[in-house]
Amino acid sequence: MPVKTFRKAVRRVSNIRHFGGPSSARPSSGTESSAGFSDIEEGLKGPQVVLENTYQLAPKDSQKFPTKKAEDIMKNVFLTHLLDSKFSSDTCKNLTTQITETVKTQVKAELGNNNRFKVVVLVMIGANYGQGARVASRCLWYPQYDRFAQYEYHNESLFAVGIVYGVYYE
Protein backbone atom coordinates (compact mmCIF):
# COMPACT_ATOMS: atom_id res chain seq x y z
CA MET A 1 0.00 0.00 0.00
CA PRO A 2 2.69 2.60 0.75
CA VAL A 3 4.18 1.97 -2.70
CA LYS A 4 1.07 3.28 -4.51
CA THR A 5 0.95 6.55 -2.56
CA PHE A 6 4.61 7.09 -3.27
CA ARG A 7 4.04 6.75 -7.04
CA LYS A 8 1.17 9.25 -6.98
CA ALA A 9 3.35 11.77 -5.15
CA VAL A 10 6.11 11.37 -7.72
CA ARG A 11 3.68 12.02 -10.56
CA ARG A 12 2.40 15.20 -8.96
CA VAL A 13 5.90 16.54 -8.40
CA SER A 14 6.94 15.75 -11.96
CA ASN A 15 3.87 17.59 -13.34
CA ILE A 16 4.66 20.68 -11.26
CA ARG A 17 8.26 20.68 -12.43
CA HIS A 18 7.12 20.32 -16.03
CA PHE A 19 5.09 23.52 -15.80
CA GLY A 20 7.73 25.80 -14.34
CA GLY A 21 9.50 24.14 -11.47
CA PRO A 22 13.25 24.06 -11.03
CA SER A 23 13.80 21.73 -13.98
CA SER A 24 11.92 23.83 -16.57
CA ALA A 25 13.85 25.43 -19.41
CA ARG A 26 12.29 28.87 -18.92
CA PRO A 27 13.53 30.99 -16.03
CA SER A 28 10.68 31.84 -13.67
CA SER A 29 10.18 35.24 -12.11
CA GLY A 30 10.16 35.69 -8.36
CA THR A 31 6.45 36.60 -8.26
CA GLU A 32 5.16 33.22 -9.46
CA SER A 33 3.90 30.65 -7.00
CA SER A 34 5.87 27.48 -6.42
CA ALA A 35 3.14 25.40 -8.07
CA GLY A 36 3.58 27.34 -11.33
CA PHE A 37 -0.10 28.18 -11.92
CA SER A 38 0.74 31.19 -14.12
CA ASP A 39 2.84 28.89 -16.32
CA ILE A 40 -0.11 26.51 -16.67
CA GLU A 41 -2.34 29.40 -17.76
CA GLU A 42 0.26 30.53 -20.30
CA GLY A 43 0.42 26.99 -21.70
CA LEU A 44 -3.33 27.06 -22.33
CA LYS A 45 -3.08 30.20 -24.52
CA GLY A 46 -1.64 28.22 -27.42
CA PRO A 47 1.73 27.55 -29.01
CA GLN A 48 4.13 30.32 -29.90
CA VAL A 49 4.50 31.18 -33.57
CA VAL A 50 7.87 30.12 -34.97
CA LEU A 51 8.92 31.76 -38.22
CA GLU A 52 10.50 29.60 -40.89
CA ASN A 53 13.60 30.47 -42.90
CA THR A 54 12.96 32.03 -46.29
CA TYR A 55 16.19 30.76 -47.84
CA GLN A 56 16.45 33.98 -49.81
CA LEU A 57 20.08 34.03 -50.89
CA ALA A 58 20.06 37.15 -53.04
CA PRO A 59 18.42 40.54 -52.62
CA LYS A 60 15.60 41.53 -54.90
CA ASP A 61 16.27 44.31 -57.40
CA SER A 62 14.20 46.71 -55.32
CA GLN A 63 16.24 45.84 -52.20
CA LYS A 64 19.74 46.78 -53.36
CA PHE A 65 21.82 48.83 -50.93
CA PRO A 66 21.36 52.55 -51.78
CA THR A 67 24.97 53.75 -52.01
CA LYS A 68 24.10 57.20 -53.40
CA LYS A 69 21.56 57.86 -50.64
CA ALA A 70 24.06 56.68 -48.02
CA GLU A 71 26.65 59.13 -49.40
CA ASP A 72 24.09 61.95 -49.29
CA ILE A 73 23.22 61.08 -45.69
CA MET A 74 26.90 61.13 -44.70
CA LYS A 75 27.45 64.44 -46.48
CA ASN A 76 24.51 66.08 -44.70
CA VAL A 77 25.52 64.73 -41.28
CA PHE A 78 29.18 65.72 -41.73
CA LEU A 79 28.27 69.24 -42.82
CA THR A 80 25.85 69.77 -39.93
CA HIS A 81 28.28 68.50 -37.27
CA LEU A 82 31.68 69.57 -38.63
CA LEU A 83 31.08 72.78 -40.58
CA ASP A 84 32.77 75.27 -38.24
CA SER A 85 34.38 72.94 -35.73
CA LYS A 86 38.02 72.96 -34.66
CA PHE A 87 40.02 69.85 -33.84
CA SER A 88 40.15 68.90 -30.18
CA SER A 89 40.77 65.33 -29.11
CA ASP A 90 38.16 65.47 -26.35
CA THR A 91 35.33 66.87 -28.45
CA CYS A 92 36.17 64.80 -31.55
CA LYS A 93 35.96 61.58 -29.53
CA ASN A 94 32.33 62.28 -28.62
CA LEU A 95 31.61 63.77 -32.04
CA THR A 96 32.78 60.59 -33.77
CA THR A 97 30.35 58.38 -31.85
CA GLN A 98 27.53 60.88 -32.33
CA ILE A 99 28.09 61.07 -36.11
CA THR A 100 28.36 57.27 -36.35
CA GLU A 101 25.04 56.70 -34.57
CA THR A 102 23.28 59.41 -36.57
CA VAL A 103 24.46 58.02 -39.91
CA LYS A 104 23.57 54.46 -38.89
CA THR A 105 20.02 55.32 -37.81
CA GLN A 106 19.36 57.41 -40.92
CA VAL A 107 20.69 54.72 -43.30
CA LYS A 108 18.60 52.05 -41.53
CA ALA A 109 15.55 54.30 -41.79
CA GLU A 110 16.23 54.70 -45.52
CA LEU A 111 16.43 50.92 -45.95
CA GLY A 112 13.12 50.29 -44.18
CA ASN A 113 12.04 47.46 -41.92
CA ASN A 114 12.16 44.57 -44.40
CA ASN A 115 15.81 44.74 -45.27
CA ARG A 116 18.44 42.06 -45.03
CA PHE A 117 21.50 44.30 -44.83
CA LYS A 118 23.84 44.56 -41.89
CA VAL A 119 24.83 48.23 -41.70
CA VAL A 120 28.34 48.96 -40.41
CA VAL A 121 29.49 52.59 -40.08
CA LEU A 122 33.10 53.73 -39.58
CA VAL A 123 33.92 57.38 -38.91
CA MET A 124 37.44 58.69 -38.32
CA ILE A 125 38.32 62.28 -37.39
CA GLY A 126 41.89 63.55 -37.21
CA ALA A 127 43.90 66.75 -37.02
CA ASN A 128 44.73 68.40 -40.34
CA TYR A 129 48.36 69.56 -40.12
CA GLY A 130 49.16 69.09 -43.79
CA GLN A 131 50.11 65.44 -43.43
CA GLY A 132 48.85 62.61 -45.60
CA ALA A 133 46.61 59.88 -44.27
CA ARG A 134 45.29 56.62 -45.67
CA VAL A 135 42.29 54.77 -44.35
CA ALA A 136 41.86 51.08 -45.16
CA SER A 137 39.60 48.33 -43.94
CA ARG A 138 39.01 44.69 -44.82
CA CYS A 139 36.13 42.29 -44.48
CA LEU A 140 34.69 39.19 -46.10
CA TRP A 141 32.74 40.38 -49.06
CA TYR A 142 30.37 39.11 -51.72
CA PRO A 143 30.76 41.70 -54.48
CA GLN A 144 27.45 41.01 -56.23
CA TYR A 145 25.32 42.00 -53.24
CA ASP A 146 27.48 43.86 -50.70
CA ARG A 147 28.09 47.59 -51.19
CA PHE A 148 29.76 50.50 -49.48
CA ALA A 149 29.58 54.29 -49.54
CA GLN A 150 32.23 56.77 -48.43
CA TYR A 151 32.57 60.49 -47.85
CA GLU A 152 35.51 62.73 -46.94
CA TYR A 153 35.40 66.14 -45.27
CA HIS A 154 38.25 68.64 -44.78
CA ASN A 155 38.55 72.06 -43.17
CA GLU A 156 41.51 74.04 -41.83
CA SER A 157 41.87 72.12 -38.57
CA LEU A 158 40.49 68.62 -39.14
CA PHE A 159 39.69 65.90 -41.62
CA ALA A 160 36.95 63.27 -41.40
CA VAL A 161 36.39 60.06 -43.32
CA GLY A 162 33.17 58.08 -43.17
CA ILE A 163 32.44 54.65 -44.62
CA VAL A 164 29.09 52.84 -44.59
CA TYR A 165 29.06 49.13 -45.40
CA GLY A 166 25.86 47.40 -46.46
CA VAL A 167 26.54 43.67 -46.11
CA TYR A 168 23.75 41.34 -47.25
CA TYR A 169 22.98 38.50 -44.89
CA GLU A 170 20.54 35.61 -45.10
Side-chain angles (χ1 to χ4, degrees):
M1 206 70 156
V3 174
K4 290 183 179 179
T5 55
F6 177 72
R7 287 184 183 165
K8 287 181 182 178
V10 169
R11 283 186 188 146
R12 285 186 189 145
V13 170
S14 66
N15 287 342
I16 291 172
R17 286 186 181 162
H18 176 69
F19 284 109
S23 66
S24 70
R26 256 188 46 219
S28 62
S29 64
T31 60
E32 295 181 35
S33 65
S34 62
F37 291 114
S38 63
D39 287 341
I40 293 171
E41 290 173 4
E42 286 181 15
L44 296 176
K45 291 180 184 176
Q48 292 181 347
V49 176
V50 178
L51 300 176
E52 298 273 332
N53 289 333
T54 61
Y55 301 106
Q56 182 179 349
L57 300 177
K60 297 175 185 171
D61 290 332
S62 63
Q63 293 179 338
K64 299 281 185 179
F65 186 75
T67 56
K68 181 64 176 154
K69 290 180 182 178
E71 286 177 7
D72 293 340
I73 289 170
M74 277 194 296
K75 181 179 179 180
N76 291 335
V77 171
F78 276 28
L79 290 177
T80 56
H81 286 86
L82 300 174
L83 190 59
D84 293 328
S85 59
K86 302 287 182 194
F87 180 78
S88 170
S89 61
D90 297 330
T91 59
C92 287
K93 178 182 174 184
N94 296 331
L95 199 57
T96 302
T97 57
Q98 184 180 5
I99 290 172
T100 302
E101 289 300 318
T102 305
V103 168
K104 185 176 181 180
T105 56
Q106 289 183 9
V107 168
K108 282 187 174 185
E110 184 67 37
L111 286 171
N113 290 335
N114 292 332
N115 68 42
R116 300 181 78 118
F117 285 98
K118 178 79 173 178
V119 177
V120 179
V121 179
L122 300 174
V123 175
M124 291 148 271
I125 299 176
N128 189 8
Y129 294 127
Q131 79 279 13
R134 289 187 180 220
V135 176
S137 61
R138 287 184 163 180
C139 64
L140 292 175
W141 194 260
Y142 194 58
Q144 288 181 327
Y145 309 128
D146 302 337
R147 300 279 184 259
F148 73 96
Q150 63 184 3
Y151 183 75
E152 299 173 9
Y153 176 80
H154 303 279
N155 68 12
E156 294 86 28
S157 67
L158 60 85
F159 70 92
V161 178
I163 306 170
V164 177
Y165 295 101
V167 181
Y168 185 79
Y169 66 100
E170 294 120 24

